[in-house]
Amino acid sequence: MSTSNDSEYAINEELLRLIQPLSDNHIEKLKDSLINDRDMRVVHVWNGYHLDDMETYKICIDLQLDHIIEEMDFPNINYAAIYICKNQLRRKDLSIEYSKYLIGQLYYYYHALRAPFKPGDSQNAIADIIAEFSYFSPGTIRKYSVYAIAMNSIFDQDTTFAKFILSGKLRISHENTIELSRLRPEEIRAVARASMEEKLDHITLSYIRNEVKWSHINAKNPVSRRERTEEKASNKMTIRQMPVYDPDSEVNSLCLTIDSWISSIQRVKGSENFPKITNTASLKLMRKLTVLEHTINLIQESLVERTGNDEQL
């Protein structure tokens, strides 16, 4: 870590996701603290990016307060993200949902680093290390890692919507968050737009399904919000014929797509342009493959556990 002169620093969107916005009341308290305590006027940055002291930086600039910029010496963005996650988890005003998200993100970033773990360490070893300082059980940490992946899918489509969920302003269950993340991008955006317009504080699975249905109505025939409300009320009065239940339908659909994933990955690997891709593209692909590997490991662990339980019966 080193001290440098003040200059313009950028905001990294991936790191910004890890920071729960301060309330107006907390911003005012921070402002008073910075005015009265010079030692608090320290802004940490890394590789030209702000870390989690952006509000401190803004207040110091706006009020023309003397402050210190400290450059953090992290090898890559994964270490910077872990630093922010741990700092945020110390906040007394951190929401429950943000806490779950940050624990899940820590699991992902540690997995991406493979350190301080030795080659061959299991997914359980990563969860055990995080459990030591987070006071969550390894099983809960693995559960939150799935939640974090789901929230990142929602972040990709609507940052404001994701922040509302994580800040506790819009309540949605863990299971429904997973279901929402599995929708197509345009469907996630439709649910986000509708819930924000209606200023809801809670959304259910039935609400998500209704909004997805409305999102597929022909754009040439727009429907007013009143008509949509009336239609929703009418749907509640209608007894629908339920489709035949097939517990294997989603798994069968997934199996049909895995071969195409393998083919796509092999095609990219064998392309003559593959050795020429930029560092940005390489890092992006590595992170996506890490998430994919992590998700595969989670479902494999679940399948192994189920198989073992079935054998004992």
Side-chain angles (χ1 to χ4, degrees):
M1 183 170 60
S2 61
T3 303
S4 67
N5 294 326
D6 202 1
S7 62
E8 289 297 325
Y9 289 91
I11 293 174
N12 182 288
E13 292 300 326
E14 180 177 348
L15 299 180
L16 186 62
R17 292 182 180 186
L18 307 174
I19 304 171
Q20 176 178 300
L22 290 176
S23 67
D24 292 341
N25 184 46
H26 279 87
I27 290 176
E28 289 302 314
K29 289 182 178 179
L30 177 60
K31 186 181 297 184
D32 290 340
S33 297
L34 292 172
I35 291 173
N36 297 316
D37 188 350
R38 295 174 61 91
D39 292 338
M40 289 189 62
R41 302 175 198 167
V42 180
V43 178
H44 298 90
V45 298
W46 167 77
N47 199 34
Y49 293 113
H50 280 287
L51 291 173
D52 56 351
D53 302 311
M54 286 175 290
E55 289 297 340
T56 295
Y57 179 79
K58 290 177 184 176
I59 293 171
C60 288
I61 294 298
D62 290 343
L63 300 182
Q64 298 183 340
L65 300 174
D66 293 335
H67 57 283
I68 296 173
I69 301 291
E70 288 192 353
E71 296 271 358
M72 305 299 289
D73 185 21
F74 296 130
N76 58 49
I77 194 171
N78 295 309
Y79 286 95
I82 289 171
Y83 167 86
I84 292 176
C85 287
K86 289 184 174 180
N87 278 351
Q88 290 291 297
L89 286 167
R90 297 187 187 101
R91 287 175 56 172
K92 295 181 179 179
D93 64 327
L94 192 68
S95 72
I96 294 175
E97 298 306 313
Y98 239 114
S99 178
K100 290 165 53 177
Y101 175 66
L102 292 172
I103 291 293
Q105 285 291 84
L106 274 175
Y107 187 88
Y108 161 70
Y109 286 118
Y110 274 125
H111 180 72
L113 288 177
R114 304 282 186 175
F117 315 105
K118 299 177 182 178
D121 276 351
S122 68
Q123 301 292 321
N124 290 337
I126 299 176
D128 289 341
I129 295 295
I130 298 174
E132 289 181 4
F133 63 80
S134 69
Y135 304 106
F136 289 96
S137 70
T140 297
I141 290 168
R142 290 192 294 272
K143 177 181 177 182
Y144 289 171
S145 71
V146 177
Y147 179 77
I149 291 172
M151 283 306 309
N152 282 331
S153 296
I154 297 171
F155 260 117
D156 289 341
Q157 305 310 319
D158 193 309
T159 297
T160 302
F161 181 55
K163 290 273 186 176
F164 259 66
I165 293 174
L166 291 180
S167 297
K169 296 177 181 177
L170 179 62
R171 291 180 291 113
I172 174 173
S173 71
H174 180 104
E175 292 75 15
N176 290 344
T177 301
I178 306 300
E179 291 299 322
L180 177 60
S181 73
R182 291 172 177 166
L183 299 178
R184 292 197 290 268
E186 64 273 15
E187 293 171 341
I188 295 176
R189 291 193 293 270
V191 174
R193 182 170 55 253
S195 62
M196 299 292 280
E197 287 178 357
E198 297 175 25
K199 299 181 179 180
L200 300 179
D201 60 3
H202 178 232
I203 57 177
T204 62
L205 185 58
S206 62
Y207 178 86
I208 292 171
R209 288 173 174 168
N210 273 327
E211 291 305 325
V212 169
K213 183 189 76 171
W214 282 108
S215 72
H216 291 291
I217 292 178
N218 194 322
K220 295 181 179 179
N221 299 298
V223 180
S224 68
R225 178 65 63 180
R226 178 179 177 181
E227 290 174 312
R228 291 178 62 179
T229 302
E230 292 174 351
E231 177 66 17
K232 288 179 185 178
S234 175
N235 287 341
K236 291 180 181 179
M237 303 297 293
T238 303
I239 300 177
R240 300 179 181 178
Q241 182 65 40
M242 298 297 292
V244 177
Y245 174 65
D246 180 8
D248 296 337
S249 61
E250 290 184 346
V251 170
N252 290 334
S253 176
L254 176 61
C255 290
L256 290 174
T257 64
I258 289 178
D259 286 341
S260 66
W261 297 352
I262 296 172
S263 177
S264 296
I265 292 172
Q266 290 175 337
R267 185 173 63 254
V268 170
K269 178 64 171 63
S271 169
E272 62 180 15
N273 290 325
F274 186 69
K276 306 174 185 177
I277 62 176
T278 64
N279 289 337
T280 300
S282 296
L283 185 59
K284 181 178 181 180
L285 181 58
M286 286 174 62
R287 288 179 184 155
K288 291 294 183 181
L289 290 174
T290 298
V291 173
L292 178 59
E293 178 189 12
H294 170 47
T295 306
I296 291 171
N297 288 335
L298 286 174
I299 197 169
Q300 284 179 330
E301 288 177 6
S302 177
L303 292 172
V304 169
E305 289 174 3
R306 290 190 55 185
T307 303
N309 291 335
D310 290 344
E311 291 176 350
Q312 294 174 7
L313 295 177

